[in-house]
Amino acid sequence: MPRRELVQKILALKAERGAVILAHNYQPPEIQDVADRLGDSLDLSRFSAAAAERVIVFCGVHFMAETAAILAPEKTVILPEPAAGCPMADMMSAEGLADLKAKHPGAVVVTYVNSTAEVKAGTDVCCTSANAVEVVRSIPEGRSIIFGPDKYLGGWVKKRTGRRMIVWNGWCPTHQKIYPEQIEQLRKIFLDAVVMVHPEVNPAVTELADVVLGTGGMIRYVRESAATTFIVATEIGMVYRLKKEFPDRQFVAASKHALCPNMKKISLEKVVSALERLEPVITVPQEVAGRARAAIQRMIEIG
Ligand code: 13P
Ligand code: SF4
């Protein structure tokens, strides 16, 4: 079916079902264009909880839809492709976290939202890349901190805060496809460009950054900045998102290979099917959701 017809079908079904379409900043262009709201992980959690609609079509990856289901248990949260996972989230298990907690009794557990609901349920406070530093700073000095799953975000926060942190050995395969040489090369071409880097990248890349920000932070930064050219060191979908928001500025991807295959599993056809069938619904068992919600809410209260 041609793209225009698919979009029309989505708009008609969305009205019929009383649904809202949320999409992460890394989603394919055609999904970004059909979405009602675009955002980073934190924005999308908040939109899910605040949405007036009863049905949320969540265009992102599994842990994000799960977070929406945790925050809005009375709503129907649909992930158009249930196999859209996050390898980093899957690197940390609830059992592994429990073992680490047993080795470090008294440590406060801070977990990145890129984690499963079960891991969040064993967490004291969640964080996103937008608020990880603030969350860690909110923990009383002298308490040690278990941080996971991302060792690069964890390492960056550790450096910024000087706190004692036991960091899980997880990472994002997509962000590891950005190399320092690429930034150095692009800086030689775009002399006045601002280099914006996501904290999931390797520290060798973070060191070359002008600013280290989550995807929502990048949008806010560009809005406030007088610069006209930006080198974007994160997943490639972010370049489309930034161009859409700021058509008069120039955005250059640090690496065309930094593509999250899971984010790209969502298609217009799958959104049509999700709205037609109201499936696949993402649910979280009540007991797990209750504990995970408390950890997410503590984060929201901090930042
Ligand atoms: P943001 O919260 O910055 O949007 O990042 C989410 C993510 O999955 C990064 O890889
Ligand atoms: Fe997970 Fe990395 Fe994809 Fe983000 S970009 S969803 S961390 S695999």
PDB file of all heavy atoms in Angstrom, residues 139-162:
ATOM      1  N   ILE A 139      21.779  11.206  46.096  1.00  0.00           N
ATOM      2  CA  ILE A 139      22.017  10.123  47.071  1.00  0.00           C
ATOM      3  C   ILE A 139      23.014  10.613  48.125  1.00  0.00           C
ATOM      4  O   ILE A 139      24.055  11.180  47.768  1.00  0.00           O
ATOM      5  CB  ILE A 139      22.514   8.856  46.340  1.00  0.00           C
ATOM      6  CG1 ILE A 139      21.374   8.352  45.432  1.00  0.00           C
ATOM      7  CG2 ILE A 139      22.965   7.765  47.317  1.00  0.00           C
ATOM      8  CD1 ILE A 139      21.793   7.418  44.367  1.00  0.00           C
ATOM      9  N   PRO A 140      22.685  10.423  49.407  1.00  0.00           N
ATOM     10  CA  PRO A 140      23.570  10.947  50.453  1.00  0.00           C
ATOM     11  C   PRO A 140      25.021  10.502  50.257  1.00  0.00           C
ATOM     12  O   PRO A 140      25.284   9.347  49.911  1.00  0.00           O
ATOM     13  CB  PRO A 140      22.983  10.363  51.744  1.00  0.00           C
ATOM     14  CG  PRO A 140      21.572  10.012  51.407  1.00  0.00           C
ATOM     15  CD  PRO A 140      21.534   9.719  49.941  1.00  0.00           C
ATOM     16  N   GLU A 141      25.946  11.444  50.464  1.00  0.00           N
ATOM     17  CA  GLU A 141      27.398  11.172  50.380  1.00  0.00           C
ATOM     18  C   GLU A 141      27.700  10.009  51.331  1.00  0.00           C
ATOM     19  O   GLU A 141      27.083   9.895  52.378  1.00  0.00           O
ATOM     20  CB  GLU A 141      28.192  12.401  50.850  1.00  0.00           C
ATOM     21  CG  GLU A 141      28.112  13.616  49.950  1.00  0.00           C
ATOM     22  CD  GLU A 141      29.042  13.522  48.739  1.00  0.00           C
ATOM     23  OE1 GLU A 141      29.927  12.637  48.733  1.00  0.00           O
ATOM     24  OE2 GLU A 141      28.854  14.340  47.813  1.00  0.00           O
ATOM     25  N   GLY A 142      28.636   9.191  50.963  1.00  0.00           N
ATOM     26  CA  GLY A 142      29.014   8.112  51.870  1.00  0.00           C
ATOM     27  C   GLY A 142      28.280   6.810  51.560  1.00  0.00           C
ATOM     28  O   GLY A 142      28.734   5.741  51.933  1.00  0.00           O
ATOM     29  N   ARG A 143      27.129   6.897  50.859  1.00  0.00           N
ATOM     30  CA  ARG A 143      26.436   5.661  50.450  1.00  0.00           C
ATOM     31  C   ARG A 143      27.055   5.199  49.140  1.00  0.00           C
ATOM     32  O   ARG A 143      27.279   6.000  48.230  1.00  0.00           O
ATOM     33  CB  ARG A 143      24.934   5.922  50.198  1.00  0.00           C
ATOM     34  CG  ARG A 143      24.136   6.355  51.409  1.00  0.00           C
ATOM     35  CD  ARG A 143      23.835   5.231  52.368  1.00  0.00           C
ATOM     36  NE  ARG A 143      23.084   4.096  51.866  1.00  0.00           N
ATOM     37  CZ  ARG A 143      21.757   4.024  51.829  1.00  0.00           C
ATOM     38  NH1 ARG A 143      21.025   5.037  52.215  1.00  0.00           N
ATOM     39  NH2 ARG A 143      21.153   2.918  51.398  1.00  0.00           N
ATOM     40  N   SER A 144      27.360   3.912  49.029  1.00  0.00           N
ATOM     41  CA  SER A 144      27.850   3.459  47.723  1.00  0.00           C
ATOM     42  C   SER A 144      26.656   3.192  46.810  1.00  0.00           C
ATOM     43  O   SER A 144      25.526   3.024  47.267  1.00  0.00           O
ATOM     44  CB  SER A 144      28.788   2.265  47.854  1.00  0.00           C
ATOM     45  OG  SER A 144      28.216   1.305  48.673  1.00  0.00           O
ATOM     46  N   ILE A 145      26.956   3.171  45.523  1.00  0.00           N
ATOM     47  CA  ILE A 145      25.892   3.125  44.510  1.00  0.00           C
ATOM     48  C   ILE A 145      26.150   1.983  43.531  1.00  0.00           C
ATOM     49  O   ILE A 145      27.257   1.846  42.999  1.00  0.00           O
ATOM     50  CB  ILE A 145      25.838   4.481  43.748  1.00  0.00           C
ATOM     51  CG1 ILE A 145      25.455   5.610  44.728  1.00  0.00           C
ATOM     52  CG2 ILE A 145      24.877   4.427  42.558  1.00  0.00           C
ATOM     53  CD1 ILE A 145      25.816   6.998  44.245  1.00  0.00           C
ATOM     54  N   ILE A 146      25.117   1.168  43.310  1.00  0.00           N
ATOM     55  CA  ILE A 146      25.182   0.162  42.235  1.00  0.00           C
ATOM     56  C   ILE A 146      24.493   0.811  41.037  1.00  0.00           C
ATOM     57  O   ILE A 146      23.374   1.327  41.164  1.00  0.00           O
ATOM     58  CB  ILE A 146      24.455  -1.137  42.648  1.00  0.00           C
ATOM     59  CG1 ILE A 146      25.205  -1.845  43.781  1.00  0.00           C
ATOM     60  CG2 ILE A 146      24.263  -2.062  41.440  1.00  0.00           C
ATOM     61  CD1 ILE A 146      24.500  -3.079  44.352  1.00  0.00           C
ATOM     62  N   PHE A 147      25.176   0.801  39.883  1.00  0.00           N
ATOM     63  CA  PHE A 147      24.620   1.454  38.700  1.00  0.00           C
ATOM     64  C   PHE A 147      24.618   0.480  37.518  1.00  0.00           C
ATOM     65  O   PHE A 147      25.615  -0.178  37.242  1.00  0.00           O
ATOM     66  CB  PHE A 147      25.448   2.694  38.332  1.00  0.00           C
ATOM     67  CG  PHE A 147      24.840   3.509  37.221  1.00  0.00           C
ATOM     68  CD1 PHE A 147      24.059   4.624  37.505  1.00  0.00           C
ATOM     69  CD2 PHE A 147      25.019   3.144  35.889  1.00  0.00           C
ATOM     70  CE1 PHE A 147      23.482   5.366  36.482  1.00  0.00           C
ATOM     71  CE2 PHE A 147      24.439   3.880  34.851  1.00  0.00           C
ATOM     72  CZ  PHE A 147      23.668   4.997  35.158  1.00  0.00           C
ATOM     73  N   GLY A 148      23.503   0.408  36.787  1.00  0.00           N
ATOM     74  CA  GLY A 148      23.473  -0.454  35.606  1.00  0.00           C
ATOM     75  C   GLY A 148      22.352  -0.047  34.673  1.00  0.00           C
ATOM     76  O   GLY A 148      21.552   0.806  35.009  1.00  0.00           O
ATOM     77  N   PRO A 149      22.225  -0.655  33.494  1.00  0.00           N
ATOM     78  CA  PRO A 149      23.186  -1.604  32.935  1.00  0.00           C
ATOM     79  C   PRO A 149      24.331  -0.952  32.168  1.00  0.00           C
ATOM     80  O   PRO A 149      25.303  -1.626  31.858  1.00  0.00           O
ATOM     81  CB  PRO A 149      22.344  -2.432  31.936  1.00  0.00           C
ATOM     82  CG  PRO A 149      21.041  -1.747  31.783  1.00  0.00           C
ATOM     83  CD  PRO A 149      20.982  -0.590  32.721  1.00  0.00           C
ATOM     84  N   ASP A 150      24.273   0.356  31.876  1.00  0.00           N
ATOM     85  CA  ASP A 150      25.247   0.922  30.928  1.00  0.00           C
ATOM     86  C   ASP A 150      26.550   1.359  31.602  1.00  0.00           C
ATOM     87  O   ASP A 150      26.567   2.339  32.342  1.00  0.00           O
ATOM     88  CB  ASP A 150      24.606   2.114  30.202  1.00  0.00           C
ATOM     89  CG  ASP A 150      25.489   2.661  29.092  1.00  0.00           C
ATOM     90  OD1 ASP A 150      26.524   2.017  28.801  1.00  0.00           O
ATOM     91  OD2 ASP A 150      25.173   3.714  28.525  1.00  0.00           O
ATOM     92  N   LYS A 151      27.632   0.671  31.275  1.00  0.00           N
ATOM     93  CA  LYS A 151      28.922   1.023  31.898  1.00  0.00           C
ATOM     94  C   LYS A 151      29.457   2.368  31.407  1.00  0.00           C
ATOM     95  O   LYS A 151      30.210   3.027  32.122  1.00  0.00           O
ATOM     96  CB  LYS A 151      29.963  -0.072  31.667  1.00  0.00           C
ATOM     97  CG  LYS A 151      30.381  -0.302  30.248  1.00  0.00           C
ATOM     98  CD  LYS A 151      31.496  -1.329  30.209  1.00  0.00           C
ATOM     99  CE  LYS A 151      31.732  -1.824  28.799  1.00  0.00           C
ATOM    100  NZ  LYS A 151      32.700  -2.929  28.758  1.00  0.00           N
ATOM    101  N   TYR A 152      29.061   2.770  30.207  1.00  0.00           N
ATOM    102  CA  TYR A 152      29.586   4.047  29.702  1.00  0.00           C
ATOM    103  C   TYR A 152      28.839   5.220  30.328  1.00  0.00           C
ATOM    104  O   TYR A 152      29.460   6.198  30.744  1.00  0.00           O
ATOM    105  CB  TYR A 152      29.544   4.078  28.174  1.00  0.00           C
ATOM    106  CG  TYR A 152      30.445   3.017  27.594  1.00  0.00           C
ATOM    107  CD1 TYR A 152      29.968   2.013  26.765  1.00  0.00           C
ATOM    108  CD2 TYR A 152      31.805   2.996  27.928  1.00  0.00           C
ATOM    109  CE1 TYR A 152      30.809   1.026  26.267  1.00  0.00           C
ATOM    110  CE2 TYR A 152      32.654   2.006  27.445  1.00  0.00           C
ATOM    111  CZ  TYR A 152      32.140   1.026  26.612  1.00  0.00           C
ATOM    112  OH  TYR A 152      32.973   0.054  26.133  1.00  0.00           O
ATOM    113  N   LEU A 153      27.519   5.120  30.422  1.00  0.00           N
ATOM    114  CA  LEU A 153      26.768   6.161  31.132  1.00  0.00           C
ATOM    115  C   LEU A 153      27.226   6.173  32.598  1.00  0.00           C
ATOM    116  O   LEU A 153      27.470   7.241  33.172  1.00  0.00           O
ATOM    117  CB  LEU A 153      25.253   5.896  31.030  1.00  0.00           C
ATOM    118  CG  LEU A 153      24.362   6.841  31.846  1.00  0.00           C
ATOM    119  CD1 LEU A 153      24.466   8.286  31.367  1.00  0.00           C
ATOM    120  CD2 LEU A 153      22.890   6.393  31.784  1.00  0.00           C
ATOM    121  N   GLY A 154      27.370   4.983  33.173  1.00  0.00           N
ATOM    122  CA  GLY A 154      27.813   4.876  34.571  1.00  0.00           C
ATOM    123  C   GLY A 154      29.181   5.518  34.774  1.00  0.00           C
ATOM    124  O   GLY A 154      29.391   6.274  35.722  1.00  0.00           O
ATOM    125  N   GLY A 155      30.104   5.249  33.874  1.00  0.00           N
ATOM    126  CA  GLY A 155      31.460   5.793  33.974  1.00  0.00           C
ATOM    127  C   GLY A 155      31.457   7.307  33.861  1.00  0.00           C
ATOM    128  O   GLY A 155      32.176   8.009  34.583  1.00  0.00           O
ATOM    129  N   TRP A 156      30.605   7.813  32.986  1.00  0.00           N
ATOM    130  CA  TRP A 156      30.523   9.265  32.773  1.00  0.00           C
ATOM    131  C   TRP A 156      29.956   9.939  34.029  1.00  0.00           C
ATOM    132  O   TRP A 156      30.472  10.964  34.487  1.00  0.00           O
ATOM    133  CB  TRP A 156      29.652   9.544  31.539  1.00  0.00           C
ATOM    134  CG  TRP A 156      29.479  10.988  31.235  1.00  0.00           C
ATOM    135  CD1 TRP A 156      30.441  11.837  30.753  1.00  0.00           C
ATOM    136  CD2 TRP A 156      28.294  11.759  31.403  1.00  0.00           C
ATOM    137  NE1 TRP A 156      29.912  13.094  30.609  1.00  0.00           N
ATOM    138  CE2 TRP A 156      28.599  13.070  30.994  1.00  0.00           C
ATOM    139  CE3 TRP A 156      27.002  11.456  31.839  1.00  0.00           C
ATOM    140  CZ2 TRP A 156      27.657  14.089  31.024  1.00  0.00           C
ATOM    141  CZ3 TRP A 156      26.069  12.473  31.863  1.00  0.00           C
ATOM    142  CH2 TRP A 156      26.392  13.771  31.458  1.00  0.00           C
ATOM    143  N   VAL A 157      28.925   9.330  34.615  1.00  0.00           N
ATOM    144  CA  VAL A 157      28.309   9.879  35.832  1.00  0.00           C
ATOM    145  C   VAL A 157      29.309   9.824  36.994  1.00  0.00           C
ATOM    146  O   VAL A 157      29.423  10.767  37.781  1.00  0.00           O
ATOM    147  CB  VAL A 157      27.005   9.113  36.177  1.00  0.00           C
ATOM    148  CG1 VAL A 157      26.448   9.553  37.523  1.00  0.00           C
ATOM    149  CG2 VAL A 157      25.965   9.305  35.088  1.00  0.00           C
ATOM    150  N   LYS A 158      30.051   8.733  37.071  1.00  0.00           N
ATOM    151  CA  LYS A 158      31.056   8.552  38.126  1.00  0.00           C
ATOM    152  C   LYS A 158      32.101   9.676  38.053  1.00  0.00           C
ATOM    153  O   LYS A 158      32.471  10.277  39.053  1.00  0.00           O
ATOM    154  CB  LYS A 158      31.725   7.182  37.886  1.00  0.00           C
ATOM    155  CG  LYS A 158      32.509   6.645  39.026  1.00  0.00           C
ATOM    156  CD  LYS A 158      32.873   5.195  38.703  1.00  0.00           C
ATOM    157  CE  LYS A 158      33.993   4.737  39.599  1.00  0.00           C
ATOM    158  NZ  LYS A 158      34.354   3.347  39.344  1.00  0.00           N
ATOM    159  N   LYS A 159      32.533   9.966  36.832  1.00  0.00           N
ATOM    160  CA  LYS A 159      33.518  11.028  36.612  1.00  0.00           C
ATOM    161  C   LYS A 159      32.955  12.396  37.002  1.00  0.00           C
ATOM    162  O   LYS A 159      33.626  13.206  37.639  1.00  0.00           O
ATOM    163  CB  LYS A 159      33.891  11.020  35.122  1.00  0.00           C
ATOM    164  CG  LYS A 159      35.268  11.564  34.838  1.00  0.00           C
ATOM    165  CD  LYS A 159      35.671  11.221  33.436  1.00  0.00           C
ATOM    166  CE  LYS A 159      36.614  12.274  32.897  1.00  0.00           C
ATOM    167  NZ  LYS A 159      36.849  12.126  31.479  1.00  0.00           N
ATOM    168  N   ARG A 160      31.709  12.649  36.640  1.00  0.00           N
ATOM    169  CA  ARG A 160      31.088  13.957  36.924  1.00  0.00           C
ATOM    170  C   ARG A 160      30.815  14.158  38.408  1.00  0.00           C
ATOM    171  O   ARG A 160      30.852  15.272  38.903  1.00  0.00           O
ATOM    172  CB  ARG A 160      29.742  14.091  36.173  1.00  0.00           C
ATOM    173  CG  ARG A 160      29.844  14.178  34.674  1.00  0.00           C
ATOM    174  CD  ARG A 160      30.168  15.563  34.169  1.00  0.00           C
ATOM    175  NE  ARG A 160      29.326  16.608  34.712  1.00  0.00           N
ATOM    176  CZ  ARG A 160      28.147  16.975  34.226  1.00  0.00           C
ATOM    177  NH1 ARG A 160      27.679  16.375  33.152  1.00  0.00           N
ATOM    178  NH2 ARG A 160      27.452  17.941  34.782  1.00  0.00           N
ATOM    179  N   THR A 161      30.492  13.071  39.104  1.00  0.00           N
ATOM    180  CA  THR A 161      30.052  13.227  40.498  1.00  0.00           C
ATOM    181  C   THR A 161      31.141  12.864  41.505  1.00  0.00           C
ATOM    182  O   THR A 161      31.034  13.230  42.676  1.00  0.00           O
ATOM    183  CB  THR A 161      28.824  12.326  40.774  1.00  0.00           C
ATOM    184  OG1 THR A 161      29.223  10.957  40.564  1.00  0.00           O
ATOM    185  CG2 THR A 161      27.650  12.661  39.892  1.00  0.00           C
ATOM    186  N   GLY A 162      32.136  12.103  41.067  1.00  0.00           N
ATOM    187  CA  GLY A 162      33.192  11.651  41.969  1.00  0.00           C
ATOM    188  C   GLY A 162      32.684  10.653  43.006  1.00  0.00           C
ATOM    189  O   GLY A 162      33.329  10.434  44.035  1.00  0.00           O
TER     190      GLY A 162
END
